[in-house]
Amino acid sequence: MKNKTYVVVGGSSGIGLEISGKIAQNGGIVYVYARNSIESEDNTNLHFTPLDVTSGELEIENIPEIIDGLVYCPGTINLKPFRRLTEEDFLNDYKINVTGAVKVIQKFYPALRKSNHASIVLFSSVAAKTGMNFHSSIAAAKGAVEGLVRSLAAEFSPAIRVNAIAPSLTNTPLAATLLSSDAKQKSSAEMHPLKRYGQPGDQADAALFLLSPASSWITGQILAVDGGLSSVRV
Ligand SMILES: NC(=O)c1ccc[n+]([C@@H]2O[C@H](COP(=O)([O-])OP(=O)(O)OC[C@H]3O[C@@H](n4cnc5c(N)ncnc54)[C@H](OP(=O)(O)O)[C@@H]3O)[C@@H](O)[C@H]2O)c1
């Protein structure tokens, strides 16, 4: 990871911020893209460039010459009963989670191609595999992310590996309303077989593994980082 170059789209908050910090701590150079700047940008290995992935054709400035890893973090948790979800809700979730990732990968592809071991990491959700109340819009979008991962893993192989992480509830600004009281935190911890909800570091450790040579024979996979929720009943 040392002296290698990584792009973290959505690296200004939550899981992406944790990933950016860990890469920088390991000596990697990180190019962060998001709408709002990183709060403390005192690490010289972190470079921030403003970007809104939903804004039509993307004009991206400061694209590094060679990119060894790309992580795409923008996402949504838009939970509503199905009868209250509008077409706009579904399209908005698709836009941020799927077409945003598509446009970003297309822009960064030439630089990824110049590395001889590039890795792309996208974010799905536990809700794509396990049916949950009120998750139909986000589950549909994340299901599309998972299809995209497998297709691109085939198309880009062997030059670029493509995988996704599927988190369950993780303590970030995106999930703040779901963890906003002691009672919510307690019931969220309790619903997971490992009896706690996730922390950004749980997801970031998985992302660093998927970016690193330690995962060099892994592509087209969806790695569940979910406290056992999607596959274990206790
Ligand atoms: N947290 C959870 O419980 C959970 C559960 C399942 C799946 N996930 C998935 O994990 C991923 C990361 O989630 P998180 O909880 O870390 O979210 P977060 O705290 O909201 O962080 C999202 C990041 O994406 C950026 N972003 C959002 N919209 C953007 C846009 N239009 N253009 C550019 N950047 C944008 C945000 O920065 P700006 O706002 O400054 O642009 C921020 O840096 C998401 O894909 C999410 O769906 C999270």
Side-chain angles (χ1 to χ4, degrees):
M1 193 150 269
K2 198 165 167 43
N3 297 329
K4 302 239 178 296
T5 301
Y6 299 87
V7 161
V8 183
V9 178
S12 64
S13 158
I15 294 167
L17 179 62
E18 190 77 14
I19 293 169
S20 303
K22 282 188 183 247
I23 295 173
Q25 276 164 23
N26 281 285
I29 299 148
V30 194
Y31 286 76
V32 169
Y33 301 81
R35 291 166 302 179
N36 303 294
S37 182
I38 322 172
E39 268 173 33
S40 66
E41 210 187 332
D42 49 8
N43 189 316
T44 50
N45 280 7
L46 287 175
H47 307 279
F48 176 77
T49 304
L51 177 68
D52 182 347
V53 298
T54 60
S55 65
E57 171 75 17
L58 297 188
E59 298 291 336
I60 307 184
E61 288 169 25
N62 292 334
I63 297 185
E65 179 79 20
I66 300 175
I67 300 173
D68 299 295
L70 165 68
V71 187
Y72 182 86
C73 298
T76 43
I77 302 184
N78 179 22
L79 308 184
K80 286 186 200 169
F82 180 65
R83 66 190 154 74
R84 281 187 34 218
L85 282 164
T86 61
E87 181 178 1
E88 204 184 334
D89 285 318
F90 277 89
L91 292 176
N92 184 49
D93 283 342
Y94 196 84
K95 212 169 163 181
I96 296 173
N97 289 281
V98 188
T99 51
V102 167
K103 291 188 294 181
V104 158
I105 293 168
Q106 285 174 339
K107 286 285 175 189
F108 288 104
Y109 179 79
L112 285 159
R113 208 53 194 85
K114 287 185 191 152
S115 166
N116 48 19
H117 48 246
S119 168
I120 297 175
V121 179
L122 303 184
F123 275 88
S124 179
S125 161
V126 64
K129 183 177 170 195
T130 303
M132 293 177 172
N133 281 341
F134 310 143
H135 281 67
S136 54
S137 178
I138 184 61
K142 294 299 197 183
V145 169
E146 295 193 4
L148 180 69
V149 163
R150 287 185 281 265
S151 297
L152 294 185
E155 200 166 325
F156 295 173
S157 180
I160 304 172
R161 298 183 298 109
V162 187
N163 295 287
I165 294 167
S168 182
L169 184 58
T170 301
N171 188 11
T172 70
L174 184 67
T177 54
L178 302 175
L179 293 168
S180 58
S181 68
D182 286 350
K184 286 181 183 177
Q185 290 172 17
K186 209 168 162 212
S187 65
S188 298
E190 204 48 42
M191 78 179 180
H192 292 90
L194 291 177
K195 300 300 171 202
R196 66 173 177 88
Y197 49 83
Q199 295 297 338
D202 295 314
Q203 310 301 338
D205 287 343
L208 261 72
F209 167 68
L210 290 173
L211 290 172
S212 79
S215 62
S216 65
W217 210 41
I218 298 178
T219 196
Q221 299 303 310
I222 313 300
L223 177 56
V225 181
D226 63 4
L229 189 65
S230 65
S231 50
V232 175
R233 185 172 297 169
V234 290

